[in-house]
mmCIF file of all heavy atoms in Angstrom:
data_model
loop_
_atom_site.group_PDB
_atom_site.id
_atom_site.type_symbol
_atom_site.label_atom_id
_atom_site.label_comp_id
_atom_site.label_asym_id
_atom_site.label_seq_id
_atom_site.Cartn_x
_atom_site.Cartn_y
_atom_site.Cartn_z
ATOM 1 N N TYR A 1 209.173 130.288 -34.823
ATOM 2 C CA TYR A 1 208.763 131.345 -33.916
ATOM 3 C C TYR A 1 207.546 132.068 -34.475
ATOM 4 O O TYR A 1 207.583 132.662 -35.559
ATOM 5 C CB TYR A 1 209.921 132.332 -33.692
ATOM 6 C CG TYR A 1 211.062 131.703 -32.928
ATOM 7 C CD1 TYR A 1 212.154 131.169 -33.643
ATOM 8 C CD2 TYR A 1 211.052 131.579 -31.560
ATOM 9 C CE1 TYR A 1 213.206 130.547 -32.950
ATOM 10 C CE2 TYR A 1 212.094 130.962 -30.849
ATOM 11 C CZ TYR A 1 213.146 130.452 -31.551
ATOM 12 O OH TYR A 1 214.185 129.829 -30.892
ATOM 13 N N ASP A 2 206.456 132.062 -33.709
ATOM 14 C CA ASP A 2 205.171 132.574 -34.180
ATOM 15 C C ASP A 2 205.263 134.056 -34.558
ATOM 16 O O ASP A 2 204.521 134.498 -35.453
ATOM 17 C CB ASP A 2 204.099 132.419 -33.084
ATOM 18 C CG ASP A 2 203.652 130.965 -32.946
ATOM 19 O OD1 ASP A 2 204.065 130.127 -33.779
ATOM 20 O OD2 ASP A 2 202.888 130.676 -31.985
ATOM 21 N N ARG A 3 206.137 134.795 -33.912
ATOM 22 C CA ARG A 3 206.146 136.240 -34.168
ATOM 23 C C ARG A 3 206.576 136.599 -35.605
ATOM 24 O O ARG A 3 206.347 137.702 -36.060
ATOM 25 C CB ARG A 3 206.990 136.996 -33.145
ATOM 26 C CG ARG A 3 208.461 136.687 -33.154
ATOM 27 C CD ARG A 3 209.082 137.338 -31.918
ATOM 28 N NE ARG A 3 210.517 137.136 -31.787
ATOM 29 C CZ ARG A 3 211.430 138.079 -31.961
ATOM 30 N NH1 ARG A 3 211.069 139.292 -32.317
ATOM 31 N NH2 ARG A 3 212.705 137.814 -31.784
ATOM 32 N N PHE A 4 207.220 135.637 -36.288
ATOM 33 C CA PHE A 4 207.619 135.895 -37.661
ATOM 34 C C PHE A 4 206.654 135.269 -38.673
ATOM 35 O O PHE A 4 206.925 135.233 -39.868
ATOM 36 C CB PHE A 4 209.059 135.412 -37.894
ATOM 37 C CG PHE A 4 210.077 136.179 -37.097
ATOM 38 C CD1 PHE A 4 210.643 135.635 -35.955
ATOM 39 C CD2 PHE A 4 210.421 137.464 -37.445
ATOM 40 C CE1 PHE A 4 211.551 136.343 -35.211
ATOM 41 C CE2 PHE A 4 211.340 138.201 -36.713
ATOM 42 C CZ PHE A 4 211.920 137.655 -35.582
ATOM 43 N N ASN A 5 205.522 134.796 -38.178
ATOM 44 C CA ASN A 5 204.478 134.173 -39.020
ATOM 45 C C ASN A 5 203.274 135.118 -39.026
ATOM 46 O O ASN A 5 202.605 135.312 -38.007
ATOM 47 C CB ASN A 5 204.105 132.811 -38.454
ATOM 48 C CG ASN A 5 203.110 132.084 -39.318
ATOM 49 O OD1 ASN A 5 202.344 132.675 -40.052
ATOM 50 N ND2 ASN A 5 203.124 130.763 -39.225
ATOM 51 N N LEU A 6 203.007 135.726 -40.163
ATOM 52 C CA LEU A 6 201.936 136.718 -40.238
ATOM 53 C C LEU A 6 200.572 136.174 -39.875
ATOM 54 O O LEU A 6 199.699 136.885 -39.368
ATOM 55 C CB LEU A 6 201.854 137.317 -41.659
ATOM 56 C CG LEU A 6 203.088 138.091 -42.159
ATOM 57 C CD1 LEU A 6 202.776 138.717 -43.497
ATOM 58 C CD2 LEU A 6 203.498 139.163 -41.164
ATOM 59 N N ALA A 7 200.365 134.885 -40.119
ATOM 60 C CA ALA A 7 199.077 134.279 -39.786
ATOM 61 C C ALA A 7 198.845 134.267 -38.281
ATOM 62 O O ALA A 7 197.694 134.265 -37.833
ATOM 63 C CB ALA A 7 199.010 132.858 -40.339
ATOM 64 N N LYS A 8 199.918 134.262 -37.504
ATOM 65 C CA LYS A 8 199.787 134.178 -36.057
ATOM 66 C C LYS A 8 200.022 135.528 -35.350
ATOM 67 O O LYS A 8 199.444 135.771 -34.292
ATOM 68 C CB LYS A 8 200.753 133.126 -35.540
ATOM 69 C CG LYS A 8 200.438 131.716 -36.065
ATOM 70 C CD LYS A 8 201.393 130.675 -35.558
ATOM 71 C CE LYS A 8 201.016 129.298 -36.093
ATOM 72 N NZ LYS A 8 201.954 128.236 -35.618
ATOM 73 N N GLU A 9 200.920 136.357 -35.907
ATOM 74 C CA GLU A 9 201.184 137.657 -35.314
ATOM 75 C C GLU A 9 201.200 138.711 -36.429
ATOM 76 O O GLU A 9 202.229 139.167 -36.871
ATOM 77 C CB GLU A 9 202.501 137.655 -34.573
ATOM 78 C CG GLU A 9 202.479 136.980 -33.206
ATOM 79 C CD GLU A 9 201.685 137.741 -32.159
ATOM 80 O OE1 GLU A 9 201.044 138.774 -32.487
ATOM 81 O OE2 GLU A 9 201.692 137.283 -31.002
ATOM 82 N N PRO A 10 200.026 139.122 -36.911
ATOM 83 C CA PRO A 10 199.985 140.011 -38.080
ATOM 84 C C PRO A 10 200.544 141.412 -37.850
ATOM 85 O O PRO A 10 200.859 142.114 -38.821
ATOM 86 C CB PRO A 10 198.470 140.068 -38.402
ATOM 87 C CG PRO A 10 197.776 139.671 -37.142
ATOM 88 C CD PRO A 10 198.694 138.707 -36.466
ATOM 89 N N ASN A 11 200.680 141.836 -36.593
ATOM 90 C CA ASN A 11 201.227 143.195 -36.318
ATOM 91 C C ASN A 11 202.737 143.232 -36.149
ATOM 92 O O ASN A 11 203.330 144.309 -36.090
ATOM 93 C CB ASN A 11 200.576 143.781 -35.075
ATOM 94 C CG ASN A 11 199.188 144.339 -35.355
ATOM 95 O OD1 ASN A 11 198.741 144.398 -36.488
ATOM 96 N ND2 ASN A 11 198.487 144.730 -34.290
ATOM 97 N N GLU A 12 203.369 142.076 -36.046
ATOM 98 C CA GLU A 12 204.802 142.050 -35.713
ATOM 99 C C GLU A 12 205.679 142.838 -36.701
ATOM 100 O O GLU A 12 206.597 143.527 -36.269
ATOM 101 C CB GLU A 12 205.297 140.602 -35.635
ATOM 102 C CG GLU A 12 206.729 140.452 -35.147
ATOM 103 C CD GLU A 12 206.907 140.708 -33.652
ATOM 104 O OE1 GLU A 12 205.889 140.816 -32.919
ATOM 105 O OE2 GLU A 12 208.070 140.793 -33.202
ATOM 106 N N PRO A 13 205.432 142.818 -38.005
ATOM 107 C CA PRO A 13 206.312 143.598 -38.900
ATOM 108 C C PRO A 13 206.320 145.076 -38.619
ATOM 109 O O PRO A 13 207.310 145.755 -38.921
ATOM 110 C CB PRO A 13 205.719 143.309 -40.300
ATOM 111 C CG PRO A 13 205.089 141.972 -40.170
ATOM 112 C CD PRO A 13 204.493 141.974 -38.770
ATOM 113 N N ASN A 14 205.224 145.622 -38.029
ATOM 114 C CA ASN A 14 205.210 147.050 -37.709
ATOM 115 C C ASN A 14 206.163 147.419 -36.596
ATOM 116 O O ASN A 14 206.415 148.587 -36.319
ATOM 117 C CB ASN A 14 203.776 147.487 -37.306
ATOM 118 C CG ASN A 14 202.890 147.659 -38.523
ATOM 119 O OD1 ASN A 14 203.341 147.874 -39.631
ATOM 120 N ND2 ASN A 14 201.569 147.509 -38.301
ATOM 121 N N ARG A 15 206.715 146.423 -35.936
ATOM 122 C CA ARG A 15 207.657 146.642 -34.853
ATOM 123 C C ARG A 15 209.092 146.634 -35.323
ATOM 124 O O ARG A 15 210.034 146.774 -34.539
ATOM 125 C CB ARG A 15 207.423 145.565 -33.782
ATOM 126 C CG ARG A 15 206.034 145.678 -33.129
ATOM 127 C CD ARG A 15 205.456 144.348 -32.719
ATOM 128 N NE ARG A 15 206.191 143.665 -31.669
ATOM 129 C CZ ARG A 15 206.008 143.894 -30.355
ATOM 130 N NH1 ARG A 15 205.109 144.800 -29.971
ATOM 131 N NH2 ARG A 15 206.685 143.201 -29.458
ATOM 132 N N PHE A 16 209.273 146.533 -36.655
ATOM 133 C CA PHE A 16 210.606 146.551 -37.259
ATOM 134 C C PHE A 16 210.604 147.547 -38.427
ATOM 135 O O PHE A 16 209.580 147.902 -38.965
ATOM 136 C CB PHE A 16 210.983 145.150 -37.756
ATOM 137 C CG PHE A 16 211.151 144.159 -36.637
ATOM 138 C CD1 PHE A 16 210.077 143.401 -36.183
ATOM 139 C CD2 PHE A 16 212.379 143.991 -36.009
ATOM 140 C CE1 PHE A 16 210.206 142.498 -35.136
ATOM 141 C CE2 PHE A 16 212.537 143.100 -34.969
ATOM 142 C CZ PHE A 16 211.464 142.354 -34.532
ATOM 143 N N GLY A 17 211.827 147.975 -38.797
ATOM 144 C CA GLY A 17 211.996 148.984 -39.822
ATOM 145 C C GLY A 17 212.265 150.367 -39.247
ATOM 146 O O GLY A 17 212.083 151.383 -39.897
ATOM 147 N N TRP A 18 212.795 150.385 -38.023
ATOM 148 C CA TRP A 18 213.007 151.623 -37.292
ATOM 149 C C TRP A 18 214.513 151.893 -37.106
ATOM 150 O O TRP A 18 215.347 151.072 -37.456
ATOM 151 C CB TRP A 18 212.339 151.560 -35.905
ATOM 152 C CG TRP A 18 210.872 151.255 -35.950
ATOM 153 C CD1 TRP A 18 210.291 150.064 -35.642
ATOM 154 C CD2 TRP A 18 209.807 152.134 -36.312
ATOM 155 N NE1 TRP A 18 208.919 150.142 -35.792
ATOM 156 C CE2 TRP A 18 208.613 151.395 -36.211
ATOM 157 C CE3 TRP A 18 209.757 153.466 -36.740
ATOM 158 C CZ2 TRP A 18 207.367 151.977 -36.491
ATOM 159 C CZ3 TRP A 18 208.527 154.034 -37.016
ATOM 160 C CH2 TRP A 18 207.353 153.292 -36.886
ATOM 161 N N ILE A 19 214.824 153.032 -36.528
ATOM 162 C CA ILE A 19 216.184 153.358 -36.062
ATOM 163 C C ILE A 19 216.256 152.972 -34.582
ATOM 164 O O ILE A 19 215.390 153.353 -33.801
ATOM 165 C CB ILE A 19 216.496 154.842 -36.236
ATOM 166 C CG1 ILE A 19 216.547 155.213 -37.725
ATOM 167 C CG2 ILE A 19 217.816 155.206 -35.561
ATOM 168 C CD1 ILE A 19 217.684 154.582 -38.506
ATOM 169 N N VAL A 20 217.296 152.213 -34.224
ATOM 170 C CA VAL A 20 217.481 151.741 -32.853
ATOM 171 C C VAL A 20 218.636 152.501 -32.202
ATOM 172 O O VAL A 20 219.717 152.594 -32.803
ATOM 173 C CB VAL A 20 217.800 150.236 -32.825
ATOM 174 C CG1 VAL A 20 217.928 149.732 -31.389
ATOM 175 C CG2 VAL A 20 216.725 149.430 -33.589
ATOM 176 N N GLU A 21 218.436 153.056 -31.017
ATOM 177 C CA GLU A 21 219.503 153.759 -30.309
ATOM 178 C C GLU A 21 219.944 152.952 -29.102
ATOM 179 O O GLU A 21 219.131 152.461 -28.331
ATOM 180 C CB GLU A 21 219.036 155.145 -29.852
ATOM 181 C CG GLU A 21 220.147 155.965 -29.207
ATOM 182 C CD GLU A 21 219.730 157.345 -28.775
ATOM 183 O OE1 GLU A 21 218.489 157.604 -28.666
ATOM 184 O OE2 GLU A 21 220.605 158.194 -28.531
ATOM 185 N N VAL A 22 221.265 152.860 -28.937
ATOM 186 C CA VAL A 22 221.857 152.074 -27.855
ATOM 187 C C VAL A 22 222.820 152.948 -27.055
ATOM 188 O O VAL A 22 223.713 153.603 -27.598
ATOM 189 C CB VAL A 22 222.648 150.849 -28.406
ATOM 190 C CG1 VAL A 22 223.190 150.009 -27.258
ATOM 191 C CG2 VAL A 22 221.799 150.028 -29.343
ATOM 192 N N ASP A 23 222.628 152.949 -25.725
ATOM 193 C CA ASP A 23 223.553 153.643 -24.802
ATOM 194 C C ASP A 23 224.739 152.716 -24.560
ATOM 195 O O ASP A 23 224.627 151.743 -23.797
ATOM 196 C CB ASP A 23 222.832 153.986 -23.510
ATOM 197 C CG ASP A 23 223.734 154.727 -22.532
ATOM 198 O OD1 ASP A 23 224.930 154.897 -22.807
ATOM 199 O OD2 ASP A 23 223.213 155.129 -21.462
ATOM 200 N N VAL A 24 225.869 153.001 -25.170
ATOM 201 C CA VAL A 24 227.032 152.113 -25.095
ATOM 202 C C VAL A 24 227.723 152.181 -23.741
ATOM 203 O O VAL A 24 228.536 151.306 -23.417
ATOM 204 C CB VAL A 24 228.039 152.404 -26.208
ATOM 205 C CG1 VAL A 24 227.417 152.203 -27.563
ATOM 206 C CG2 VAL A 24 228.605 153.831 -26.075
ATOM 207 N N ASN A 25 227.433 153.207 -22.971
ATOM 208 C CA ASN A 25 228.107 153.374 -21.655
ATOM 209 C C ASN A 25 227.463 152.521 -20.574
ATOM 210 O O ASN A 25 227.981 152.482 -19.461
ATOM 211 C CB ASN A 25 228.103 154.842 -21.261
ATOM 212 C CG ASN A 25 228.990 155.678 -22.176
ATOM 213 O OD1 ASN A 25 230.151 155.342 -22.371
ATOM 214 N ND2 ASN A 25 228.428 156.748 -22.724
ATOM 215 N N ASP A 26 226.349 151.883 -20.907
ATOM 216 C CA ASP A 26 225.675 151.019 -19.929
ATOM 217 C C ASP A 26 225.310 149.699 -20.626
ATOM 218 O O ASP A 26 224.314 149.644 -21.339
ATOM 219 C CB ASP A 26 224.407 151.688 -19.383
ATOM 220 C CG ASP A 26 223.668 150.823 -18.387
ATOM 221 O OD1 ASP A 26 224.163 149.714 -18.058
ATOM 222 O OD2 ASP A 26 222.563 151.250 -17.939
ATOM 223 N N PRO A 27 226.109 148.653 -20.427
ATOM 224 C CA PRO A 27 225.837 147.382 -21.115
ATOM 225 C C PRO A 27 224.567 146.702 -20.677
ATOM 226 O O PRO A 27 224.154 145.710 -21.287
ATOM 227 C CB PRO A 27 227.072 146.542 -20.787
ATOM 228 C CG PRO A 27 227.649 147.126 -19.546
ATOM 229 C CD PRO A 27 227.340 148.592 -19.602
ATOM 230 N N THR A 28 223.899 147.218 -19.624
ATOM 231 C CA THR A 28 222.619 146.669 -19.208
ATOM 232 C C THR A 28 221.433 147.497 -19.707
ATOM 233 O O THR A 28 220.280 147.160 -19.415
ATOM 234 C CB THR A 28 222.544 146.561 -17.687
ATOM 235 O OG1 THR A 28 222.550 147.876 -17.112
ATOM 236 C CG2 THR A 28 223.734 145.797 -17.125
ATOM 237 N N SER A 29 221.709 148.573 -20.433
ATOM 238 C CA SER A 29 220.638 149.455 -20.886
ATOM 239 C C SER A 29 219.764 148.775 -21.920
ATOM 240 O O SER A 29 220.189 147.853 -22.613
ATOM 241 C CB SER A 29 221.229 150.744 -21.481
ATOM 242 O OG SER A 29 221.963 150.442 -22.650
ATOM 243 N N THR A 30 218.513 149.230 -22.009
ATOM 244 C CA THR A 30 217.571 148.679 -22.974
ATOM 245 C C THR A 30 217.582 149.551 -24.240
ATOM 246 O O THR A 30 217.232 150.726 -24.179
ATOM 247 C CB THR A 30 216.139 148.676 -22.401
ATOM 248 O OG1 THR A 30 216.132 147.910 -21.184
ATOM 249 C CG2 THR A 30 215.165 148.050 -23.382
ATOM 250 N N PRO A 31 217.965 148.983 -25.379
ATOM 251 C CA PRO A 31 217.931 149.751 -26.631
ATOM 252 C C PRO A 31 216.528 150.244 -26.913
ATOM 253 O O PRO A 31 215.539 149.626 -26.554
ATOM 254 C CB PRO A 31 218.408 148.746 -27.672
ATOM 255 C CG PRO A 31 219.206 147.745 -26.904
ATOM 256 C CD PRO A 31 218.495 147.618 -25.576
ATOM 257 N N ARG A 32 216.457 151.391 -27.614
ATOM 258 C CA ARG A 32 215.156 152.009 -27.878
ATOM 259 C C ARG A 32 214.980 152.198 -29.380
ATOM 260 O O ARG A 32 215.859 152.738 -30.055
ATOM 261 C CB ARG A 32 215.044 153.353 -27.139
ATOM 262 C CG ARG A 32 215.317 153.238 -25.663
ATOM 263 C CD ARG A 32 215.147 154.551 -24.937
ATOM 264 N NE ARG A 32 213.755 154.918 -24.729
ATOM 265 C CZ ARG A 32 212.999 154.448 -23.755
ATOM 266 N NH1 ARG A 32 213.502 153.603 -22.854
ATOM 267 N NH2 ARG A 32 211.740 154.841 -23.612
ATOM 268 N N LYS A 33 213.825 151.764 -29.899
ATOM 269 C CA LYS A 33 213.484 151.985 -31.282
ATOM 270 C C LYS A 33 212.785 153.348 -31.384
ATOM 271 O O LYS A 33 211.664 153.530 -30.859
ATOM 272 C CB LYS A 33 212.590 150.871 -31.816
ATOM 273 C CG LYS A 33 213.288 149.515 -31.833
ATOM 274 C CD LYS A 33 212.598 148.490 -32.693
ATOM 275 C CE LYS A 33 213.404 147.176 -32.737
ATOM 276 N NZ LYS A 33 212.883 146.205 -33.725
ATOM 277 N N ARG A 34 213.461 154.296 -32.057
ATOM 278 C CA ARG A 34 213.016 155.683 -32.090
ATOM 279 C C ARG A 34 212.049 155.894 -33.256
ATOM 280 O O ARG A 34 212.460 156.189 -34.373
ATOM 281 C CB ARG A 34 214.220 156.591 -32.186
ATOM 282 C CG ARG A 34 215.244 156.437 -31.046
ATOM 283 C CD ARG A 34 214.669 156.878 -29.700
ATOM 284 N NE ARG A 34 215.731 156.950 -28.674
ATOM 285 C CZ ARG A 34 215.529 157.353 -27.424
ATOM 286 N NH1 ARG A 34 214.309 157.729 -27.035
ATOM 287 N NH2 ARG A 34 216.510 157.390 -26.556
ATOM 288 N N THR A 35 210.768 155.782 -32.964
ATOM 289 C CA THR A 35 209.766 155.761 -34.046
ATOM 290 C C THR A 35 209.535 157.105 -34.708
ATOM 291 O O THR A 35 209.005 157.158 -35.814
ATOM 292 C CB THR A 35 208.432 155.190 -33.524
ATOM 293 O OG1 THR A 35 207.926 156.060 -32.511
ATOM 294 C CG2 THR A 35 208.602 153.797 -32.967
ATOM 295 N N ALA A 36 209.945 158.203 -34.066
ATOM 296 C CA ALA A 36 209.771 159.506 -34.676
ATOM 297 C C ALA A 36 210.578 159.630 -35.961
ATOM 298 O O ALA A 36 210.298 160.505 -36.777
ATOM 299 C CB ALA A 36 210.185 160.615 -33.681
ATOM 300 N N MET A 37 211.572 158.764 -36.147
ATOM 301 C CA MET A 37 212.460 158.843 -37.312
ATOM 302 C C MET A 37 211.941 158.062 -38.510
ATOM 303 O O MET A 37 212.610 157.957 -39.542
ATOM 304 C CB MET A 37 213.865 158.396 -36.925
ATOM 305 C CG MET A 37 214.456 159.220 -35.800
ATOM 306 S SD MET A 37 216.104 158.714 -35.281
ATOM 307 C CE MET A 37 217.098 159.377 -36.604
ATOM 308 N N GLY A 38 210.737 157.486 -38.381
ATOM 309 C CA GLY A 38 210.095 156.866 -39.513
ATOM 310 C C GLY A 38 210.414 155.392 -39.683
ATOM 311 O O GLY A 38 211.401 154.874 -39.139
ATOM 312 N N ARG A 39 209.533 154.723 -40.425
ATOM 313 C CA ARG A 39 209.674 153.285 -40.657
ATOM 314 C C ARG A 39 209.752 153.031 -42.175
ATOM 315 O O ARG A 39 208.845 153.307 -42.928
ATOM 316 C CB ARG A 39 208.471 152.551 -40.070
ATOM 317 C CG ARG A 39 208.426 151.050 -40.374
ATOM 318 C CD ARG A 39 207.265 150.377 -39.657
ATOM 319 N NE ARG A 39 207.071 149.015 -40.103
ATOM 320 C CZ ARG A 39 206.244 148.650 -41.117
ATOM 321 N NH1 ARG A 39 205.520 149.588 -41.719
ATOM 322 N NH2 ARG A 39 206.157 147.404 -41.483
ATOM 323 N N PHE A 40 210.912 152.523 -42.581
ATOM 324 C CA PHE A 40 211.130 152.109 -43.972
ATOM 325 C C PHE A 40 212.386 151.244 -43.974
ATOM 326 O O PHE A 40 212.821 150.781 -42.908
ATOM 327 C CB PHE A 40 211.248 153.330 -44.908
ATOM 328 C CG PHE A 40 212.109 154.471 -44.421
ATOM 329 C CD1 PHE A 40 213.482 154.503 -44.655
ATOM 330 C CD2 PHE A 40 211.539 155.531 -43.726
ATOM 331 C CE1 PHE A 40 214.267 155.556 -44.237
ATOM 332 C CE2 PHE A 40 212.320 156.609 -43.265
ATOM 333 C CZ PHE A 40 213.693 156.627 -43.536
#
């Protein structure tokens, strides 16, 4: 998968390392990566 290859998608790692929030009351909801909480 190209997205895990830095030579092909160099920005992809910046999209991980976040806190993800999930609305459990709606199994069709889209989880949200809450970037205000920092990346580490």
Side-chain angles (χ1 to χ4, degrees):
Y1 293 96
D2 287 352
R3 65 189 179 109
F4 295 104
N5 185 334
L6 297 186
K8 297 180 179 179
E9 283 290 6
N11 281 353
E12 186 74 10
N14 283 336
R15 294 146 67 84
F16 294 90
W18 305 104
I19 294 294
V20 182
E21 184 179 17
V22 184
D23 182 355
V24 299
N25 293 308
D26 179 4
T28 67
S29 64
T30 303
R32 306 182 76 83
K33 296 197 176 188
R34 302 294 190 177
T35 62
M37 301 179 77
R39 175 176 170 268
F40 45 88

